[in-house]
C-alpha cells in the first residue's frame, strides 16, 4: 500500500512554521520573561530593577492571604469542573433520547457557548442585582439577603454559578458527540443484557465515554483556572477588596493595579508549575485507566 508523504522535508516544516512562531511569541517568550522578572524587584515606571533572588517566592509562600486565595482557587476549580461536567453529561443523555424537536432542544443548549466570559459575568450581575435581580428575589423568598460583591460566600456562589453556566454548552457538545458515536449494536446488546437504564449507563455508556470525559476534564480544569478571569473581573466590578478571587485574577490585581511586577511574575511562574504538574499527573495516572478503541 502506497503511503502519502511530502516531496521534501522542508514543506512540513514550512507548514508548521506559522504556528510555531505564534507559540514562541505568545507563550514561550512571555513565560521566559515572567521567570526572569520573578527574581527582580522592579520599579513600576521602568526606572530600574534589583535582583532579589527567591525573595518574591518566599514572600508569597509566607503570605496568609495568598494561601487563602490558593485554597479558594482549588475549591472553585473543583466545583466548576464537577458541576460543568455533571450537568453537561445529564443534558447530553437527555438530548440523545429526544426525538421530537431534537434539533431545537440541542441548539438552545449550545447557544450559551457563543457568550464571551465578560458578557456572562454581566448577565450574572443582572441576575443578582441587589434591587431587582431575579435570583436575588429568589433568595429573598427563602429568607437569605443575597449581596453580590459584599458577602464573601454570596460572591463565590455567583462566580461558580456563572462559570458553570458558561462552560456547560462546550461539555454538552462533546458528550453528545460521544454518545452518538456509540455503535447501535452495542446499545442493543446492552439493552438485552441489562434492563435497568442506570445499569446500562454505568456499565456500558459511561466507560465508552471515558476518553471524551478525560479530555473534557483537562479542558475544564484549564477553563476554571484561566478562562474564568472575565467572569470574576465583571462580578467583582473591578473592586476585589475582600471578595474571593482566583490565583490568575490575583496576578492581574498585584501586577497591573499594585504595580508589583516581580511578585506577580512569581505568582505566574508558580501557577505555570502547578498546571504543568497537574497535567502530567492526569496523563500519567488518570489516563492509564482510560481505554481507547
Amino acid at each position: 500500500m502506497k503511503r502519502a508523504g511530502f516531496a521534501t522535508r522542508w514543506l512540513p516544516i514550512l507548514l508548521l512554521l506559522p504556528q510555531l512562531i505564534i507559540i514562541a511569541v505568545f507563550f514561550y517568550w512571555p513565560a521566559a520573561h515572567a521567570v526572569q522578572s520573578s527574581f527582580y524587584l522592579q520599579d513600576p515606571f521602568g526606572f530600574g530593577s534589583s535582583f532579589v533572588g527567591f525573595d518574591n517566592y518566599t514572600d508569597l509562600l509566607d503570605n496568609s492571604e495568598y494561601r487563602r486565595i490558593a485554597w479558594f482557587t482549588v475549591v472553585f476549580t473543583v466545583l466548576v469542573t464537577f458541576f460543568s461536567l455533571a450537568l453537561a453529561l445529564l443534558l447530553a443523555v437527555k438530548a440523545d433520547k429526544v426525538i421530537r424537536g431534537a434539533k431545537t432542544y440541542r441548539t438552545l443548549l449550545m447557544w450559551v457557548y457563543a457568550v464571551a466570559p465578560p458578557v456572562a459575568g454581566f448577565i450574572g450581575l443582572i441576575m443578582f442585582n441587589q434591587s431587582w435581580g431575579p435570583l436575588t428575589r429568589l433568595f429573598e423568598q427563602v429568607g437569605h439577603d443575597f449581596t453580590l460583591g459584599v458577602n464573601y460566600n454570596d460572591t463565590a456562589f455567583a462566580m461558580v454559578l456563572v462559570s458553570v453556566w458558561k462552560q456547560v454548552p462546550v461539555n454538552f457538545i462533546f458528550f453528545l458527540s460521544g454518545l452518538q458515536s456509540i455503535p447501535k449494536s452495542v446499545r442493543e446488546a446492552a439493552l438485552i443484557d441489562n434492563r435497568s437504564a442506570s445499569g446500562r449507563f454505568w456499565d456500558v455508556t459511561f466507560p465508552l465515554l471515558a476518553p471524551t470525559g478525560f479530555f473534557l476534564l483537562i479542558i475544564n480544569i484549564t477553563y476554571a483556572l484561566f478562562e474564568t478571569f472575565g467572569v470574576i473581573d465583571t462580578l467583582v466590578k473591578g473592586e476585589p477588596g475582600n471578595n474571593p478571587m482566583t490565583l490568575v485574577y490575583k496576578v492581574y490585581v498585584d501586577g497591573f493595579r499594585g504595580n508589583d511586577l516581580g511578585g506577580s511574575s512569581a505568582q505566574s511562574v508558580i501557577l505555570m508549575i502547578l498546571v504543568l504538574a497537574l497535567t502530567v499527573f492526569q496523563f500519567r495516572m488518570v489516563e492509564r485507566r482510560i481505554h481507547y478503541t
Side-chain angles (χ1 to χ4, degrees):
M1 182 175 62
K2 187 177 180 181
R3 298 178 60 184
F6 294 96
T8 64
R9 77 165 101 181
W10 296 107
L11 181 57
I13 296 177
L14 290 175
L15 294 175
L16 290 173
L17 190 60
Q19 183 65 32
L20 294 177
I21 293 175
I22 292 174
I23 294 175
V25 172
F26 293 99
F27 179 75
Y28 290 114
W29 180 78
H33 184 69
V35 173
Q36 180 185 8
S37 299
S38 66
F39 296 107
Y40 288 85
L41 181 62
Q42 301 185 37
D43 186 278
F45 300 101
F47 292 116
S49 60
S50 302
F51 181 78
V52 294
F54 289 93
D55 287 354
N56 288 325
Y57 294 95
T58 55
D59 291 343
L60 283 176
L61 298 179
D62 292 338
N63 190 327
S64 59
E65 180 187 3
Y66 183 77
R67 293 196 298 268
R68 179 176 62 86
I69 293 174
W71 173 246
F72 172 77
T73 302
V74 172
V75 176
F76 176 81
T77 302
V78 170
L79 291 176
V80 171
T81 301
F82 173 77
F83 285 108
S84 296
L85 291 174
L87 291 175
L89 181 59
L90 176 62
L91 293 173
V93 171
K94 297 301 180 181
D96 190 43
K97 297 179 180 180
V98 172
I99 299 177
R100 181 177 298 178
K103 293 183 178 180
T104 303
Y105 178 70
R106 295 166 187 170
T107 302
L108 290 174
L109 289 174
M110 295 177 186
W111 267 357
V112 184
Y113 179 58
V115 178
V119 177
F122 181 72
I123 295 174
L125 285 178
I126 296 175
M127 301 299 290
F128 289 106
N129 184 277
Q130 190 65 31
S131 301
W132 43 264
L135 293 181
T136 303
R137 294 289 181 86
L138 181 63
F139 276 100
E140 290 178 355
Q141 297 296 324
V142 297
H144 177 67
D145 184 17
F146 194 97
T147 52
L148 177 65
V150 177
N151 184 282
Y152 185 95
N153 294 326
D154 290 348
T155 307
F157 175 83
M159 288 179 180
V160 172
L161 181 64
V162 176
S163 300
V164 169
W165 173 74
K166 173 69 180 69
Q167 185 65 5
V168 163
V170 182
N171 300 332
F172 169 77
I173 294 171
F174 281 97
F175 274 133
L176 183 61
S177 300
L179 287 171
Q180 294 179 343
S181 65
I182 298 177
K184 186 178 180 180
S185 58
V186 174
R187 297 192 180 193
E188 293 176 348
L191 186 62
I192 296 174
D193 294 338
N194 194 334
R195 299 183 61 182
S196 171
S198 60
R200 292 195 303 270
F201 175 80
W202 292 112
D203 294 338
V204 179
T205 305
F206 189 76
L208 291 175
L209 285 176
T212 302
F214 173 70
F215 167 76
L216 289 177
L217 177 64
I218 299 175
I219 295 298
N220 280 261
I221 291 176
T222 305
Y223 162 80
L225 287 173
F226 296 100
E227 298 179 33
T228 54
F229 176 90
V231 173
I232 296 173
D233 186 48
T234 306
L235 288 177
V236 300
K237 303 176 183 179
E239 299 176 0
N242 294 324
N243 286 320
M245 69 176 78
T246 59
L247 291 175
V248 171
Y249 194 69
K250 182 170 175 55
V251 172
Y252 163 74
V253 171
D254 289 354
F256 289 89
R257 297 195 173 184
N259 292 323
D260 183 10
L261 302 181
S264 63
S265 297
Q267 294 178 44
S268 300
V269 173
I270 292 176
L271 193 57
M272 283 191 294
I273 294 174
L274 291 176
V275 172
L276 178 62
L278 181 61
T279 303
V280 172
F281 172 78
Q282 288 176 330
F283 276 99
R284 290 291 181 87
M285 303 301 294
V286 180
E287 193 180 17
R288 291 181 180 179
R289 301 178 180 272
I290 306 298
H291 301 283
Y292 297 88
T293 57

